[in-house]
């Protein structure tokens, strides 16, 4: 969405319509001309501030595809190339703590492991450069997710031959990963194009992974999720970006679990607002959910004081 809340936008639009008085209905030819000159960016993008899509580096590197992206959108999300498995790799490439520090990685003084996994920023760097030079914003997706995070990242010695690390050790690894990724972005010449982060993705639908093995079953008060947001907030605060960059909890079927999402985000923000709001993946169909049911969920999040961004929007036609 942008910084304007949905209900404020809606009310403003409605107010303008009410104040206009009689409205002239355009002719059919005027309608066709208007439709031909309109784009997603000039219509909904203008209304909500951001219009986006998911893309890959190869699409951004294709000049004709990039031109189309710029005509329709002012924001992109990498479909897979910024997820943990893309940055960490399917098998670990370990480097010493000193080597990591020399690369600009974040390694806290309490981090006791001798080695850390190297993070591959090659694709991210190329994407940031293209987006910065073409005026395209970036939603960074995603830092903590039960899927597409390599299992070795949770294991003793970063090896699937061994068991899972303790919660304390995993906290330090999570801090290392989140702060290293975010620091890399915002120390980049091109990092200013990143205006939002999905800090935690789909926790309320987590299946068995290292996160659950270490931290236990899902609740609406997950301490490690709150900790993840704190690490992310620490970064944007350090760079003076708390009023420019938003941090989100992102999930699907949020309209079915409104109360759980609100309860969890309120818990995350119980010591100060570190989560700006909710990313609503919206896999819809013509049969479900109803417009009223969906809008009620959006309004509930807005009433709770959350910023709302509609993510992964698609609709399936279940019948004419």
């Amino acid at each position: 969405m942008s910084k304007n809340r949905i209900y404020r936008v809606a009310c403003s639009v409605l107010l303008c319509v009410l104040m206009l008085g009689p409205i002239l209905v355009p002719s059919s030819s005027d309608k066709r001309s208007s439709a031909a000159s309109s784009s997603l960016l000039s219509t909904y993008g203008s209304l909500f501030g951001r219009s986006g899509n998911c893309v890959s580096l190869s699409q951004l590197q294709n000049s004709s595809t990039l031109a189309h992206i710029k005509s329709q959108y002012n924001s992109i999300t990498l479909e897979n190339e910024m997820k943990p498995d893309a940055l960490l790799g399917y098998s670990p490439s370990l480097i010493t703590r000193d080597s990591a520090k020399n690369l600009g990685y974040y390694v806290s003084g309490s981090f006791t492991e001798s080695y850390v996994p190297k993070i591959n920023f090659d694709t991210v760097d190329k994407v940031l450069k293209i987006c910065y030079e073409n005026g395209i914003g970036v939603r960074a997706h995603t830092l903590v997710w039960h899927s597409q995070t390599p299992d070795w990242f949770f294991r003793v010695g970063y090896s699937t031959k061994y068991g899972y690390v303790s919660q304390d050790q995993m906290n330090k690894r999570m801090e290392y990963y989140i702060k290293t990724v975010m620091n890399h972005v915002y120390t980049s010449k091109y990092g200013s194009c990143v205006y939002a982060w999905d800090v935690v993705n789909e926790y309320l639908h987590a299946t068995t992974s290292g996160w659950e093995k270490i931290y236990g079953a899902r609740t609406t008060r997950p301490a490690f999720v709150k900790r993840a947001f704190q690490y992310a907030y620490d970064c944007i605060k350090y760079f003076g970006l708390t009023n420019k960059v938003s941090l989100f909890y992102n999930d699907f079927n949020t309209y079915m679990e409104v109360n759980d999402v609100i309860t969890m985000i309120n818990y995350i923000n119980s010591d100060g607002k570190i989560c700006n709001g909710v990313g609503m993946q919206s896999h819809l169909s013509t049969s479900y959910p109803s417009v009223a049911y969906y809008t009620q969920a959006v309004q509930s999040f807005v009433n709770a004081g959350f910023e709302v961004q509609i993510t992964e929007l698609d609709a399936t036609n279940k019948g004419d």
Side-chain angles (χ1 to χ4, degrees):
M1 253 209 37
S2 122
K3 294 180 181 177
N4 291 326
R5 301 198 190 284
I6 288 176
Y7 79 97
R8 287 178 179 168
V9 172
C11 289
S12 297
V13 173
L14 178 59
L15 183 62
C16 288
V17 171
L18 292 174
M19 293 175 66
L20 282 174
I23 297 174
L24 296 177
V25 179
S27 67
S28 296
S29 60
D30 289 337
K31 289 180 181 178
R32 285 194 295 270
S33 175
S34 175
S37 63
S38 295
S39 69
L40 189 60
L41 182 59
S42 66
T43 53
Y44 293 100
S46 176
L47 178 63
F48 293 116
R50 293 286 184 183
S51 162
N53 208 332
C54 60
V55 302
S56 64
L57 172 61
S58 62
Q59 290 171 320
L60 290 170
Q61 290 174 325
N62 181 294
S63 58
S64 59
T65 305
L66 177 60
H68 176 73
I69 290 170
K70 290 170 65 176
S71 74
Q72 296 292 326
Y73 315 112
N74 59 7
S75 173
I76 63 98
T77 302
L78 286 174
E79 188 170 6
N80 287 297
E81 292 160 302
M82 212 168 180
K83 292 175 180 175
D85 57 357
L87 272 62
L88 290 167
Y90 296 103
S91 59
S93 174
L94 301 180
I95 57 177
T96 65
R97 282 184 296 171
D98 287 342
S99 297
K101 290 178 181 178
N102 290 336
L103 290 171
Y105 289 14
Y106 179 88
V107 184
S108 72
S110 62
F111 195 98
T112 57
E113 296 183 76
S114 300
Y115 294 90
V116 296
K118 189 174 183 180
I119 302 175
N120 185 350
F121 291 112
D122 290 350
T123 296
V124 171
D125 290 342
K126 291 173 184 175
V127 168
L128 293 181
K129 185 175 187 294
I130 293 171
C131 290
Y132 178 88
E133 292 176 345
N134 287 276
I136 302 170
V138 176
R139 293 191 80 258
H141 176 81
T142 177
L143 292 167
V144 174
W145 189 26
H146 65 273
S147 184
Q148 287 186 244
T149 301
D151 187 56
W152 59 258
F153 187 56
F154 305 99
R155 303 275 191 156
V156 173
Y158 301 104
S159 173
T160 53
K161 294 188 297 184
Y162 304 114
Y164 293 94
V165 299
S166 67
Q167 290 186 12
D168 181 66
Q169 193 169 353
M170 196 63 223
N171 289 342
K172 291 180 174 64
R173 288 187 181 184
M174 180 168 64
E175 181 181 27
Y176 160 78
Y177 181 76
I178 290 174
K179 291 187 176 180
T180 295
V181 172
M182 295 184 73
N183 284 354
H184 181 87
V185 167
Y186 291 122
T187 54
S188 163
K189 175 182 176 182
Y190 311 110
S192 59
C193 60
V194 179
Y195 68 93
W197 294 79
D198 287 331
V199 178
V200 178
N201 191 51
E202 300 176 359
Y203 167 77
L204 291 174
H205 296 95
T207 53
T208 302
S209 77
W211 298 111
E212 291 75 55
K213 292 281 176 53
I214 294 170
Y215 293 105
R218 288 166 287 165
T219 73
T220 54
R221 297 173 63 86
F224 86 92
V225 169
K226 181 175 180 176
R227 191 180 294 269
F229 274 94
Q230 187 63 61
Y231 294 150
Y233 183 82
D234 289 345
C235 283
I236 61 169
K237 183 178 180 181
Y238 176 82
F239 289 102
L241 297 171
T242 52
N243 293 322
K244 295 181 179 179
V245 175
S246 296
L247 306 178
F248 289 92
Y249 171 70
N250 189 61
D251 211 333
F252 60 89
N253 289 355
T254 47
Y255 42 85
M256 297 173 64
E257 294 152 341
V258 172
N259 291 335
D260 283 349
V261 173
I262 291 175
T263 298
M264 186 174 71
I265 295 180
N266 283 341
Y267 163 70
I268 293 168
N269 290 335
S270 57
D271 297 314
K273 191 166 187 177
I274 56 178
C275 173
N276 295 92
V278 56
M280 291 183 67
Q281 294 180 34
S282 298
H283 307 297
L284 315 175
S285 78
T286 50
S287 59
Y288 180 84
S290 68
V291 173
Y293 187 50
Y294 184 87
T295 8
Q296 184 179 23
V298 175
Q299 191 65 56
S300 295
F301 292 139
V302 170
N303 291 346
F306 303 160
E307 185 176 345
V308 176
Q309 291 188 345
I310 308 303
T311 59
E312 299 188 35
L313 175 63
D314 52 76
T316 301
N317 184 6
K318 294 290 187 180
D320 293 334

